[in-house]
Amino acid sequence: KNEVEQSPQNLTAQEGEFITINCSYSVGISALHWLQQHPGGGIVSLFMLSSGKKKHGRLIATINIQEKHSSLHITASHPRDSAVYICAVSQGNLIFGKGTKLSVKP
Amino acid sequence: DGGITQSPKYLFRKEGQNVTLSCEQNLNHDAMYWYRQDPGQGLRLIYYSQIVNDFQKGDIAEGYSVSREKKESFPLTVTSAQKNPTAFYLCASSLGTSAYNEQFFGPGTRLTVL
């Protein structure tokens, strides 16, 4: 069983929709990271959180430490949000989920 | 501009040849990492370095070697002992190896072994 599970694996949405990507983990962690990988392959860090909720623009990330679960929400989605979103947990080194491929159609 | 660079973006090699992937950062970060990404799989750690002249094996170090002679540079050599070298390779760096340190990623090198 993977230590970090993401769902869904693939997600197609219409522009403007509210999107949720989920991440569950089975190990004790110090922090959880959400990353975005664009089609060209480059990865950028979106959030690092160890409790509660963070917001940046249209992106919101939440974590429930007791339930070992995190969600990434995108409000008013746009085609430029199309990317692979990766959840990673940190016990020192990062353990990565397989990613959720998001496609937002105009 | 501060950042992390990898070269080349695409690399083709014949089976049995060693190949070295470049990774350079000007962020003054102490820690550097090499990851491998295969289709349908999460990133996997190959090697990491917390400080100059020191490095540790990650989860899939077999068939790979690294050096850290300078703070800015962390080259990865894919040797002929690596059974399935075709993959996307990502380099990253961070201030330190604390769980709370953000990692900054390079653009990646796609290696194809023919």
Side-chain angles (χ1 to χ4, degrees):
Chain A
K1 187 182 185 299
N2 293 327
E3 292 167 304
V4 181
E5 297 273 5
Q6 288 186 236
S7 62
Q9 286 187 331
N10 294 283
L11 181 56
T12 300
Q14 287 298 126
E15 184 173 355
E17 285 185 1
F18 180 84
I19 288 162
T20 297
I21 298 169
N22 296 298
C23 176
S24 296
Y25 53 93
S26 57
V27 295
I29 67 168
S30 300
L32 183 143
H33 301 252
W34 281 102
L35 310 165
Q36 181 190 53
Q37 184 171 31
H38 279 283
I43 292 177
V44 295
S45 178
L46 298 175
F47 295 103
M48 189 279 292
L49 62 167
S50 53
S51 65
K53 176 180 174 178
K54 287 190 176 179
K55 184 175 190 291
H56 184 251
R58 295 179 296 105
L59 301 178
I60 303 165
T62 63
I63 187 168
N64 184 319
I65 297 292
Q66 286 74 29
E67 295 186 4
K68 295 187 175 177
H69 181 269
S70 175
S71 293
L72 176 69
H73 305 286
I74 305 175
T75 62
S77 61
H78 189 276
R80 65 174 175 266
D81 297 325
S82 298
V84 175
Y85 292 84
I86 300 170
C87 171
V89 300
S90 182
Q91 297 179 303
N93 288 328
L94 291 177
I95 305 170
F96 295 83
K98 294 182 180 181
T100 294
K101 185 173 182 180
L102 172 64
S103 178
V104 182
K105 306 293 186 189
Chain B
D1 276 79
I4 181 165
T5 58
Q6 291 183 243
S7 61
K9 190 168 178 62
Y10 298 96
L11 189 54
F12 297 88
R13 278 295 181 270
K14 290 184 179 178
E15 195 171 340
Q17 288 182 334
N18 290 358
V19 60
T20 297
L21 281 57
S22 166
C23 177
E24 304 277 332
Q25 54 96 2
N26 61 2
L27 299 166
N28 200 32
H29 285 170
D30 284 317
M32 296 187 75
Y33 311 81
W34 274 106
Y35 296 98
R36 172 182 171 136
Q37 188 177 38
D38 294 282
Q41 293 200 38
L43 276 71
R44 292 181 290 169
L45 181 64
I46 304 172
Y47 268 99
Y48 65 103
S49 169
Q50 295 176 295
I51 200 165
V52 175
N53 293 322
D54 187 45
F55 48 82
Q56 286 79 40
K57 292 182 179 180
D59 300 318
I60 56 165
E62 186 176 348
Y64 300 97
S65 66
V66 293
S67 63
R68 186 88 186 275
E69 296 176 3
K70 297 188 299 182
K71 188 174 187 177
E72 302 80 18
S73 179
F74 191 40
L76 173 75
T77 297
V78 185
T79 75
S80 56
Q82 168 50 233
K83 292 187 174 64
N84 296 297
T86 294
F88 187 58
Y89 291 88
L90 284 153
C91 179
S93 70
S94 62
L95 272 174
T97 52
S98 159
Y100 304 99
N101 284 138
E102 179 184 357
Q103 289 191 17
F104 293 79
F105 288 83
T109 293
R110 191 166 298 279
L111 173 65
T112 303
V113 176
L114 306 170

